[in-house]
Amino acid sequence: MKLKKGNISQDLERWVRAYFNHMKTLSYSNNTILLYERILLEFVEYSLDFQDEMQINDIKTLFIVNFLDFLEKRSINVEKLSKKTKLTYLRIISSFLHLSMIIMMISTNLTSIYLN
C-alpha cells in the first residue's frame, strides 16, 4: 500500500480505513473504535484545509500541535482541552501514523522482493 496516492485528506482517509480494519481484526472494543474514529475523523477534517499545501508524509509535530490548538479554539464548552484529552489525541494520532508507516514499509519491501 503506497503512502501517497492523492492529496493529504484522501491519503489520510485511505489509511484511516486500513487502520480500522486492523483494529477490527485485533478485536478492539466498540468503544475504543468509536473513540479512535471520532479523533481520527476530526484529524482528517482538519487536514482538508491543507490538501493543496502538503502531503501525508509532511505531517510533523507542528501539524499535530496546530491541530490540537485548532480543537481548543473550536471548543465551545471549555476554554482549554485538558492535559489528559491532549495526551489521548496524541496517543491515538501517533499510533495511527506509526502503524501506517509500518504497513507502508512492509508493502514497499514486499514489492521490491517480488519485483527483483
Side-chain angles (χ1 to χ4, degrees):
M1 186 173 197
K2 290 187 177 183
L3 180 62
K4 298 183 295 183
K5 271 191 171 178
N7 61 45
I8 187 172
S9 57
Q10 292 168 332
D11 289 337
L12 282 172
E13 287 172 0
R14 187 169 50 88
W15 281 101
V16 164
R17 282 192 304 274
Y19 189 69
F20 287 129
N21 287 338
H22 169 76
M23 291 179 76
K24 289 174 185 173
T25 301
L26 296 177
S27 301
Y28 279 64
S29 76
N30 287 338
N31 286 338
T32 299
I33 291 173
L34 288 173
L35 174 65
Y36 277 57
E37 181 178 43
R38 182 178 56 79
I39 290 171
L40 291 175
L41 292 179
E42 283 180 310
F43 189 64
V44 171
E45 180 185 332
Y46 174 74
S47 76
L48 288 172
D49 290 340
F50 303 94
Q51 62 187 352
D52 295 330
E53 300 170 27
M54 59 189 293
Q55 298 290 321
I56 192 170
N57 57 329
D58 295 326
I59 295 174
K60 305 288 187 255
T61 303
L62 182 61
F63 187 78
I64 297 169
V65 168
N66 287 340
F67 168 64
L68 293 174
D69 186 51
F70 163 78
L71 292 175
E72 221 168 51
K73 289 176 181 173
R74 188 182 73 172
S75 178
I76 299 169
N77 298 330
V78 292
E79 215 172 283
K80 288 187 170 185
L81 296 177
S82 71
K83 184 176 182 176
K84 184 177 179 181
T85 300
K86 288 179 184 179
L87 288 174
T88 299
Y89 272 76
L90 287 173
R91 181 177 43 83
I92 291 170
I93 292 168
S94 296
S95 171
F96 162 70
L97 292 173
H98 181 74
L99 183 65
S100 299
M101 291 295 166
I102 290 172
I103 293 171
M104 186 270 309
M105 288 185 323
I106 289 170
S107 67
T108 301
N109 288 337
L110 288 175
T111 302
S112 67
I113 288 169
Y114 286 109
L115 291 178
N116 289 330

